[in-house]
Amino acid sequence: MNALACTLLLLLPPEEPAAAQVTIHVERSSTDELWMVLYRFHPPRGEAVFSRNTNLFREERWTVRTPDVSIVRSGDAEVLRSTNGQPFEEVRLSFAPHSDVLPKDYEFHVPFTDGGVLFYTGHLEVRSEQGSLTTELRFRARPGERVAHAGQTASELVVRASEPGFGTYVYFGNAEPLETPDVLAVLDPGLPGWIRSETLVYLPLLFGLYRERLGVSLETKP
C-alpha cells in the first residue's frame, strides 16, 4: 500500500457499528411481578428463532400480547411466528419470574432476599434462519431501583451484542453495589454477616490479584 492510500485511509471517518436488526426492551412491571419485553425488528420478519432451546418453557409460560404472533415449537426450537403470514415489526411479551432450575442451562431468574433479581438475557436471544442477528438490549429499572451490568449501574442501560451467545446476568434491584477499580459486585443483603464481611474484604483482593498476575487491562469491569 502506497503512502497516498495510507493517508486516505487515515482521513476516512471511523466505521459506524452495524445497525441493530433487533432491539429488545426489558423492564419489570411497577405494579406486579411480571416482566415486560418488547422486540423491535429491523426490517420486519415473519419469524424469529430463539437461540437457547435446551429447556422449552417459553410457549407454556410466556404470554404474547401482540395480535397475530405466537410462540410455537418447530423441531427442537421455539419460534416467534406470524400467524397471518404478514411480517411483524414489534412483538410484546410478558411472563412471571421463572426461578426453576433449568437442566444444562442458566437459571432465568435468580431472586435476592430483598426483592432484587438477576435476569439471564440469553433466554431472550433470537436469530433468523440464516444466522445471528445484531442485537441491542435496553434495560429499564423500576422507580427507586437500578440496573447493574458489566461494571455499570443506572436506571437505564443499553448493551450492544453482535455475536451469538451473548447471554449474561443483569441485576435489577436497589442493593448498593460493591465497586472497586477491578470489580463491581452486587451482594444479596440476606447473606449471613460473616460471609458478607469476608466477601467485602477478599473479593476486591482476589480481582486485584487477577489484574496484577495477568497484567491486562479489561474492556469492561467484571
Side-chain angles (χ1 to χ4, degrees):
M1 185 179 293
N2 60 38
L4 175 59
C6 291
T7 303
L8 290 174
L9 283 175
L10 290 172
L11 293 175
L12 289 175
E15 185 178 347
E16 292 291 329
Q21 295 169 294
V22 56
T23 303
I24 308 175
H25 301 255
V26 183
E27 61 182 296
R28 274 209 290 180
S29 170
S30 58
T31 57
D32 53 38
E33 289 303 308
L34 286 180
W35 289 88
M36 315 299 292
V37 176
L38 168 63
Y39 287 83
R40 285 202 170 106
F41 294 94
H42 324 279
R45 58 186 60 248
E47 74 173 34
V49 183
F50 288 100
S51 295
R52 302 185 76 91
N53 291 287
T54 305
N55 301 272
L56 301 174
F57 59 88
R58 303 176 188 88
E59 181 185 21
E60 178 182 347
R61 294 181 179 237
W62 293 13
T63 299
V64 180
R65 296 177 175 267
T66 300
D68 302 318
V69 180
S70 296
I71 296 176
V72 299
R73 294 193 186 185
S74 179
D76 59 357
E78 289 178 312
V79 179
L80 279 172
R81 179 173 291 165
S82 168
T83 58
N84 64 2
Q86 298 299 313
F88 48 78
E89 183 176 0
E90 292 187 353
V91 179
R92 293 183 182 274
L93 304 166
S94 64
F95 43 79
H98 183 187
S99 55
D100 301 357
V101 172
L102 296 175
K104 300 180 182 179
D105 209 342
Y106 294 97
E107 282 75 16
F108 195 6
H109 301 101
V110 181
F112 278 39
T113 55
D114 65 344
V117 65
L118 291 177
F119 181 104
Y120 185 68
T121 64
H123 296 304
L124 302 179
E125 182 181 0
V126 292
R127 55 180 171 81
S128 70
E129 289 293 343
Q130 291 71 42
S132 62
L133 298 174
T134 302
T135 303
E136 182 175 272
L137 298 105
R138 293 178 171 265
F139 308 106
R140 177 183 295 174
R142 294 193 292 196
E145 295 185 345
R146 61 174 66 87
V147 186
H149 172 267
Q152 303 177 70
T153 57
S155 60
E156 295 187 32
L157 288 179
V158 178
V159 178
R160 292 298 300 269
S162 59
E163 299 296 328
F166 60 71
T168 185
Y169 277 107
V170 177
Y171 171 76
F172 290 77
N174 54 20
E176 192 65 37
L178 161 67
E179 185 169 9
T180 74
D182 302 305
V183 65
L184 184 143
V186 184
L187 307 182
D188 191 327
L191 282 173
W194 70 271
I195 294 179
R196 183 177 180 84
S197 61
E198 295 218 348
T199 301
L200 289 172
V201 172
Y202 290 109
L203 190 66
L205 292 177
L206 175 64
F207 279 86
L209 179 64
Y210 285 154
R211 171 177 45 78
E212 292 175 9
R213 293 287 180 88
L214 294 174
V216 178
S217 298
L218 301 178
E219 293 182 4
T220 60
K221 187 181 298 185

